[in-house]
Amino acid sequence: MTNANSGYGRVAARVPPQAWFGVSAVFHYLGPSFAVLLFPAVGVLGVAWFRVASAAAAFCLIASPIRTLRQADWKGRLLLVGLGLCLAVMNTSFYLALDRLPMSLVAAMEFVGTIAVALWGLRTGRNLIALILTVLGVAVLIDVKWASDPMGLFWSALNALLFVGYIVLGHRAAANGADQGVERLGAAMLIAFIALMPLGFVQAVAVLDQPLLILAGIGVGLCSSVIPYICDQLAMSRLPRASFALLLALLPATATVIAAIVLTQIPSFRDLVGIALVMAGVAIHRPLR
């Protein structure tokens, strides 16, 4: 799927797609960890605005979102609008859920939706075993205790649903290679910024006179929506959708590792067993040809 003669295509081809996903998985939880710390000072919607605004600005520098929108046909524009709105609502609902629920619970619900995507692409017994191992590993690793916060569960469920939409639409964006995928991602991020402007800017404008908070908000955007999403495109351009969905099982494992390093939350023996099961499942899985 990747055009190896193009810029991002050459970069994507030089490294195994699983490695690109690994980078994405690390930043998938580094960004939210920083974001949660900003919630009291900036507000949930304000942090979401900073995330998307800084990401849109970064993509304007490394891609050509306006040109991509102008040159797209009506189907392409429909894809860009769909992906942009998905990113806007997904990121906002993710933060609203994190403001009310533990990250482990939000991560668990996020993974549930990807199981259906992985099941859709199953063709071999080997991949079925891989899926079973990863699901068992996630169940052991997360040990979810359901919260009683209905609004938190609503936002978490909405985020999980839109995360599946992101996988589907993101793969369509990457269908013609990593270069076009990144260009389309930039255009979609610009649309997400426009969609979020009326909501988050009211909270964000209150801290525009505080440079440290602005820099922190920009850091959240780079860690959450630029580095991981570009890496996702590099991986998606070379992996079938079901294989990418299965790799998402690594997210709870990376969350555990990051928590140990950043938050000094040392994993228990149960956590290590869960990580081992997830790694085993991902290791034996083979992408469909």
Side-chain angles (χ1 to χ4, degrees), residues 39-52:
F39 284 171
V42 184
V44 178
L45 295 180
V47 175
W49 183 89
F50 269 115
R51 171 178 177 171
V52 175

Side-chain angles (χ1 to χ4, degrees), residues 24-90:
S24 172
V26 169
F27 281 93
H28 188 84
Y29 283 109
L30 270 181
S33 298
F34 299 149
V36 170
L37 298 177
L38 287 178
F39 284 171
V42 184
V44 178
L45 295 180
V47 175
W49 183 89
F50 269 115
R51 171 178 177 171
V52 175
S54 56
F59 277 110
C60 285
L61 296 176
I62 64 177
S64 304
I66 300 297
R67 184 181 65 189
T68 301
L69 284 167
R70 287 177 177 173
Q71 293 180 349
D73 57 19
W74 71 271
K75 287 185 179 180
R77 288 175 182 171
L78 190 62
L79 170 63
L80 296 176
V81 171
L83 182 56
L85 294 178
C86 180
L87 289 172
V89 182
M90 180 183 73

Side-chain angles (χ1 to χ4, degrees), residues 131-146:
L131 180 64
I132 292 172
L133 284 174
T134 53
V135 172
L136 285 175
V138 170
V140 170
L141 181 61
I142 295 177
D143 187 24
V144 172
K145 295 178 176 63
W146 289 95

Side-chain angles (χ1 to χ4, degrees), residues 89-106:
V89 182
M90 180 183 73
N91 291 334
T92 304
S93 60
F94 181 55
Y95 284 170
L96 288 169
L98 287 181
D99 192 42
R100 293 172 172 268
L101 302 175
M103 185 177 291
S104 60
L105 175 55
V106 178

